[in-house]
Amino acid sequence: NAGVTQTPKFRVLKTGQSMTLLCAQDMNHEYMYWYRQDPGMGLRLIHYSVGEGTTAKGEVPDGYNVSRLKKQNFLLGLESAAPSQTSVYFCASSRNFVEQFFGPGTRLTVL
Amino acid sequence: DQQVKQNSPSLSVQEGRISILNCDYTNSMFDYFLWYKKYPAEGPTFLISISSIKDKNEDGRFTVFLNKSAKHLSLHIVPSQPGDSAVYFCAAKGVGNEKLTFGTGTRLTIIP
Protein backbone atom coordinates (compact mmCIF):
# COMPACT_ATOMS: atom_id res chain seq x y z
CA ASN A 1 0.00 0.00 0.00
CA ALA A 2 1.29 3.45 -0.94
CA GLY A 3 -0.93 5.14 1.67
CA VAL A 4 -1.40 8.83 0.83
CA THR A 5 0.57 10.27 -2.07
CA GLN A 6 0.83 13.89 -3.20
CA THR A 7 1.81 15.30 -6.56
CA PRO A 8 3.94 17.34 -7.11
CA LYS A 9 6.47 17.44 -4.26
CA PHE A 10 7.74 20.92 -5.12
CA ARG A 11 6.44 23.76 -7.27
CA VAL A 12 7.34 27.37 -7.92
CA LEU A 13 4.64 29.64 -9.34
CA LYS A 14 4.49 33.26 -10.35
CA THR A 15 1.79 35.49 -8.90
CA GLY A 16 -1.43 35.00 -10.83
CA GLN A 17 -0.64 31.54 -12.16
CA SER A 18 -2.89 28.60 -11.44
CA MET A 19 -2.15 25.04 -10.44
CA THR A 20 -3.72 21.87 -9.08
CA LEU A 21 -2.32 19.68 -6.33
CA LEU A 22 -3.31 16.03 -6.49
CA CYS A 23 -3.83 13.78 -3.49
CA ALA A 24 -4.46 10.07 -3.83
CA GLN A 25 -5.13 7.42 -1.18
CA ASP A 26 -5.41 3.66 -1.54
CA MET A 27 -6.93 2.87 1.87
CA ASN A 28 -10.57 3.28 0.80
CA HIS A 29 -11.02 6.12 3.30
CA GLU A 30 -14.18 8.22 3.20
CA TYR A 31 -12.68 11.38 4.68
CA MET A 32 -10.00 13.50 3.02
CA TYR A 33 -8.44 16.80 4.04
CA TRP A 34 -6.16 19.55 2.76
CA TYR A 35 -4.00 21.47 5.26
CA ARG A 36 -1.36 24.11 4.97
CA GLN A 37 1.54 24.43 7.38
CA ASP A 38 3.22 27.77 7.98
CA PRO A 39 5.95 28.62 10.53
CA GLY A 40 4.44 29.28 13.94
CA MET A 41 0.91 28.54 12.70
CA GLY A 42 0.69 24.77 12.95
CA LEU A 43 -1.58 22.90 10.56
CA ARG A 44 -4.60 24.81 9.31
CA LEU A 45 -7.47 23.11 7.50
CA ILE A 46 -8.24 24.50 4.04
CA HIS A 47 -11.03 22.22 2.76
CA TYR A 48 -12.19 18.71 3.50
CA SER A 49 -14.48 16.01 2.13
CA VAL A 50 -16.61 13.44 3.94
CA GLY A 51 -17.19 11.34 0.84
CA GLU A 52 -17.09 11.16 -2.94
CA GLY A 53 -18.78 14.19 -4.49
CA THR A 54 -18.78 16.23 -1.25
CA THR A 55 -16.58 19.10 -0.11
CA ALA A 56 -16.68 21.57 2.76
CA LYS A 57 -14.76 24.65 3.86
CA GLY A 58 -12.20 24.53 6.62
CA GLU A 59 -10.48 27.25 8.57
CA VAL A 60 -8.68 29.03 5.68
CA PRO A 61 -10.56 28.30 2.41
CA ASP A 62 -10.17 31.63 0.60
CA GLY A 63 -8.21 31.43 -2.65
CA TYR A 64 -8.57 27.65 -2.94
CA ASN A 65 -11.04 25.27 -4.55
CA VAL A 66 -11.32 21.51 -4.24
CA SER A 67 -12.98 18.58 -5.96
CA ARG A 68 -13.59 14.96 -4.98
CA LEU A 69 -14.86 13.29 -8.14
CA LYS A 70 -13.43 9.91 -7.16
CA LYS A 71 -13.26 8.47 -3.66
CA GLN A 72 -9.52 7.95 -3.82
CA ASN A 73 -8.60 11.42 -5.12
CA PHE A 74 -8.87 14.89 -3.63
CA LEU A 75 -7.70 17.84 -5.73
CA LEU A 76 -6.73 21.27 -4.43
CA GLY A 77 -6.75 24.14 -6.92
CA LEU A 78 -5.28 27.61 -6.79
CA GLU A 79 -6.92 29.74 -9.48
CA SER A 80 -4.70 32.83 -9.12
CA ALA A 81 -1.72 32.21 -6.87
CA ALA A 82 -0.58 34.88 -4.40
CA PRO A 83 2.65 35.11 -2.37
CA SER A 84 0.56 34.55 0.80
CA GLN A 85 -0.12 31.03 -0.50
CA THR A 86 3.55 30.11 -0.20
CA SER A 87 3.40 27.19 2.20
CA VAL A 88 3.75 23.46 2.67
CA TYR A 89 0.52 21.67 1.78
CA PHE A 90 -0.46 18.35 3.34
CA CYS A 91 -3.22 16.03 2.30
CA ALA A 92 -4.67 13.52 4.74
CA SER A 93 -7.26 10.76 4.70
CA SER A 94 -9.17 9.05 7.46
CA ARG A 95 -11.64 6.27 8.06
CA ASN A 96 -13.18 7.86 11.14
CA PHE A 97 -11.96 11.50 11.08
CA VAL A 98 -10.01 10.94 14.29
CA GLU A 99 -6.82 9.20 13.16
CA GLN A 100 -5.69 10.86 9.94
CA PHE A 101 -3.01 9.55 7.61
CA PHE A 102 -0.92 12.27 6.00
CA GLY A 103 0.91 12.48 2.70
CA PRO A 104 4.53 13.67 2.46
CA GLY A 105 3.59 17.25 1.56
CA THR A 106 3.96 19.67 -1.34
CA ARG A 107 6.24 22.67 -0.93
CA LEU A 108 4.80 25.59 -2.93
CA THR A 109 6.54 28.91 -3.48
CA VAL A 110 4.70 31.80 -5.11
CA LEU A 111 6.95 34.59 -6.38
CA ASP B 1 -8.76 32.61 18.03
CA GLN B 2 -6.43 29.70 18.81
CA GLN B 3 -8.59 27.00 20.37
CA VAL B 4 -5.68 24.60 20.84
CA LYS B 5 -2.46 26.06 22.21
CA GLN B 6 1.02 24.70 22.61
CA ASN B 7 2.82 27.43 24.49
CA SER B 8 6.29 25.91 24.34
CA PRO B 9 7.77 26.15 20.83
CA SER B 10 10.70 23.96 21.80
CA LEU B 11 11.90 21.54 24.47
CA SER B 12 15.25 19.82 25.03
CA VAL B 13 15.53 16.67 27.12
CA GLN B 14 18.39 14.36 27.98
CA GLU B 15 18.24 10.87 26.50
CA GLY B 16 16.69 8.43 28.95
CA ARG B 17 14.81 11.10 30.88
CA ILE B 18 11.10 11.91 30.68
CA SER B 19 9.78 14.33 28.05
CA ILE B 20 6.58 16.17 28.89
CA LEU B 21 4.79 18.08 26.16
CA ASN B 22 1.84 20.28 27.08
CA CYS B 23 -1.28 21.46 25.32
CA ASP B 24 -4.13 23.71 26.45
CA TYR B 25 -7.54 24.12 24.85
CA THR B 26 -10.40 26.55 25.24
CA ASN B 27 -13.37 24.69 23.70
CA SER B 28 -15.20 22.49 26.21
CA MET B 29 -17.00 20.77 23.31
CA PHE B 30 -13.92 18.82 22.19
CA ASP B 31 -14.49 15.06 22.61
CA TYR B 32 -11.25 13.58 21.28
CA PHE B 33 -7.65 14.66 21.64
CA LEU B 34 -4.71 13.39 19.64
CA TRP B 35 -0.96 13.75 19.38
CA TYR B 36 0.88 13.68 16.07
CA LYS B 37 4.60 13.50 15.47
CA LYS B 38 6.34 15.09 12.51
CA TYR B 39 9.84 14.61 11.16
CA PRO B 40 11.34 17.16 8.74
CA ALA B 41 10.22 16.78 5.11
CA GLU B 42 7.58 14.20 6.09
CA GLY B 43 3.89 14.34 6.84
CA PRO B 44 2.68 14.08 10.45
CA THR B 45 2.01 10.61 11.81
CA PHE B 46 -0.54 9.67 14.43
CA LEU B 47 0.92 8.85 17.83
CA ILE B 48 -1.77 8.44 20.47
CA SER B 49 -5.28 9.64 21.27
CA ILE B 50 -7.61 9.98 24.24
CA SER B 51 -11.35 10.30 24.53
CA SER B 52 -12.79 13.03 26.72
CA ILE B 53 -14.37 10.38 28.95
CA LYS B 54 -10.92 9.16 30.02
CA ASP B 55 -8.12 10.86 31.88
CA LYS B 56 -5.22 8.66 30.81
CA ASN B 57 -4.20 6.52 27.86
CA GLU B 58 -0.95 4.61 27.60
CA ASP B 59 0.82 3.03 24.63
CA GLY B 60 4.31 1.73 25.31
CA ARG B 61 6.59 4.65 26.14
CA PHE B 62 3.86 7.20 25.41
CA THR B 63 1.16 8.27 27.85
CA VAL B 64 -1.38 11.02 27.36
CA PHE B 65 -3.07 12.66 30.34
CA LEU B 66 -6.25 14.72 30.12
CA ASN B 67 -7.34 17.21 32.79
CA LYS B 68 -10.77 18.40 31.70
CA SER B 69 -11.26 20.85 34.55
CA ALA B 70 -8.03 22.62 33.59
CA LYS B 71 -8.61 22.08 29.83
CA HIS B 72 -5.11 20.70 29.63
CA LEU B 73 -3.52 17.61 28.14
CA SER B 74 0.02 16.40 28.22
CA LEU B 75 2.12 13.78 26.47
CA HIS B 76 4.72 11.91 28.49
CA ILE B 77 7.51 10.03 26.76
CA VAL B 78 9.62 7.81 28.95
CA PRO B 79 12.39 6.98 28.48
CA SER B 80 13.17 9.54 25.78
CA GLN B 81 15.18 8.29 22.83
CA PRO B 82 17.07 10.14 20.05
CA GLY B 83 14.46 9.02 17.51
CA ASP B 84 11.85 10.97 19.47
CA SER B 85 13.37 14.24 18.25
CA ALA B 86 10.60 15.72 16.12
CA VAL B 87 7.83 18.31 16.16
CA TYR B 88 4.79 17.23 18.16
CA PHE B 89 1.33 18.57 17.42
CA CYS B 90 -1.66 18.18 19.66
CA ALA B 91 -5.07 18.17 17.99
CA ALA B 92 -8.70 18.10 19.10
CA LYS B 93 -12.01 17.09 17.56
CA GLY B 94 -15.29 18.80 18.39
CA VAL B 95 -18.48 16.90 19.21
CA GLY B 96 -20.36 16.12 16.00
CA ASN B 97 -17.50 17.58 13.99
CA GLU B 98 -15.61 15.89 11.19
CA LYS B 99 -12.37 17.84 11.45
CA LEU B 100 -9.41 18.36 13.76
CA THR B 101 -8.05 21.59 15.20
CA PHE B 102 -4.27 21.52 15.57
CA GLY B 103 -1.93 23.34 17.89
CA THR B 104 1.16 25.16 16.65
CA GLY B 105 3.57 22.38 17.59
CA THR B 106 6.48 21.84 19.99
CA ARG B 107 9.91 20.89 18.67
CA LEU B 108 11.39 18.20 20.93
CA THR B 109 15.14 17.64 20.86
CA ILE B 110 16.59 14.64 22.67
CA ILE B 111 20.19 15.22 23.71
CA PRO B 112 22.37 12.07 23.59
Side-chain angles (χ1 to χ4, degrees), chain B residues 2-18:
Chain B
Q2 192 76 23
Q3 295 189 62
V4 178
K5 301 178 185 179
Q6 294 178 257
N7 293 317
S8 298
S10 62
L11 175 68
S12 294
V13 174
Q14 207 78 28
E15 181 180 356
R17 305 294 289 267
I18 183 171

Side-chain angles (χ1 to χ4, degrees), chain A residues 53-101:
Chain A
T54 74
T55 62
K57 293 181 180 180
E59 186 184 353
V60 288
D62 293 342
Y64 305 95
N65 56 74
V66 288
S67 64
R68 183 104 181 265
L69 299 179
K70 294 183 179 180
K71 186 177 184 178
Q72 64 267 32
N73 295 337
F74 195 27
L75 278 63
L76 177 71
L78 285 73
E79 290 186 348
S80 180
S84 61
Q85 294 178 304
T86 293
S87 187
V88 181
Y89 291 85
F90 289 102
C91 174
S93 72
S94 174
R95 190 182 313 280
N96 55 16
F97 57 76
V98 174
E99 180 181 349
Q100 297 183 10
F101 294 81

Side-chain angles (χ1 to χ4, degrees), chain A residues 33 35 37 40-43 45 48 50 90 97-100 102-104, chain B residues 32 34 36 38 41-44 46 89 93 97-100 102-104:
Chain A
Y33 307 83
Y35 293 91
Q37 185 193 9
M41 301 292 289
L43 289 159
L45 182 66
Y48 66 103
V50 299
F90 289 102
F97 57 76
V98 174
E99 180 181 349
Q100 297 183 10
F102 283 81
Chain B
Y32 257 100
L34 306 90
Y36 280 80
K38 184 185 180 303
E42 294 183 11
F46 170 76
F89 292 99
K93 187 190 82 65
N97 219 321
E98 301 128 335
K99 51 190 195 279
L100 299 178
F102 283 83
T104 53

